[in-house]
Amino acid sequence: DDGWKCAGCVRCVSCGTRTAGKRETDRWKRDCTLCHACGTLFEQKKYCPVCKGVYHDSESDGKMACCDGCSMWVHASCGNIDSATYERMSNDRGGTWECPKCTGDLEDLSDNEEDERWQLPSSSSVIKAQESLEA
């Protein structure tokens, strides 16, 4: 995590910031894909297992549901929960619900497996992009 990071390429995939953090000691996490704050939330399992976007406990405006299979909180939109279903689930404390990852409707990638959202561009693609800009 202490290697060179091109400011034009590195960006937090969760919040979009281009800096590792507010403090000089803050470092990028998960192979330079998450800023320090989002990486810390991710390590605390405070992320949607479908989109992998992190959330803060203080976020009250985002609709989320807790999966009864994995106990992770999932954005309503990521769980294919429409407004009427969300309202019904909010009022029915005895019902159960499982996220797309637990039901098998989503390819199961472990938290440590890489997918396209977590990869930085290859050096050759960055060089090609730079050369096309200079042409």
Side-chain angles (χ1 to χ4, degrees):
D1 277 63
D2 292 331
W4 179 80
K5 292 143 190 94
C6 170
C9 293
V10 72
R11 180 179 71 81
C12 178
V13 297
S14 189
C15 73
T17 189
R18 292 196 176 272
T19 60
K22 296 178 182 177
R23 297 183 310 248
E24 194 171 313
T25 57
D26 288 343
R27 298 287 179 250
W28 288 97
K29 297 190 176 203
R30 293 194 58 87
D31 292 330
C32 298
T33 59
L34 292 173
C35 68
H36 183 81
C38 291
T40 300
L41 289 169
F42 192 91
E43 290 165 357
Q44 296 170 353
K45 300 282 187 194
K46 293 183 179 183
Y47 66 92
C48 171
V50 177
C51 72
K52 298 201 178 170
V54 300
Y55 62 86
H56 298 270
D57 289 332
S58 60
E59 291 178 23
S60 59
D61 58 341
K63 292 182 177 181
M64 298 186 82
C66 185
C67 173
D68 291 308
C70 63
S71 299
M72 297 285 288
W73 285 88
V74 180
H75 297 112
S77 57
C78 293
N80 300 317
I81 303 170
D82 59 35
S83 293
T85 304
Y86 183 82
E87 291 304 317
R88 189 172 60 251
M89 288 171 66
S90 297
N91 296 326
D92 179 20
R93 302 286 183 217
T96 61
W97 176 80
E98 288 190 344
C99 71
K101 190 172 178 179
C102 288
T103 61
D105 294 335
L106 180 70
E107 182 182 341
D108 186 22
L109 292 175
S110 76
D111 295 338
N112 295 321
E113 276 187 79
E114 291 190 25
D115 65 33
E116 296 121 31
R117 291 173 287 191
W118 301 97
Q119 294 177 3
L120 292 175
S122 68
S123 58
S124 61
S125 67
V126 171
I127 291 168
K128 286 179 187 176
Q130 183 65 33
E131 288 173 346
S132 70
L133 291 173
E134 294 172 355

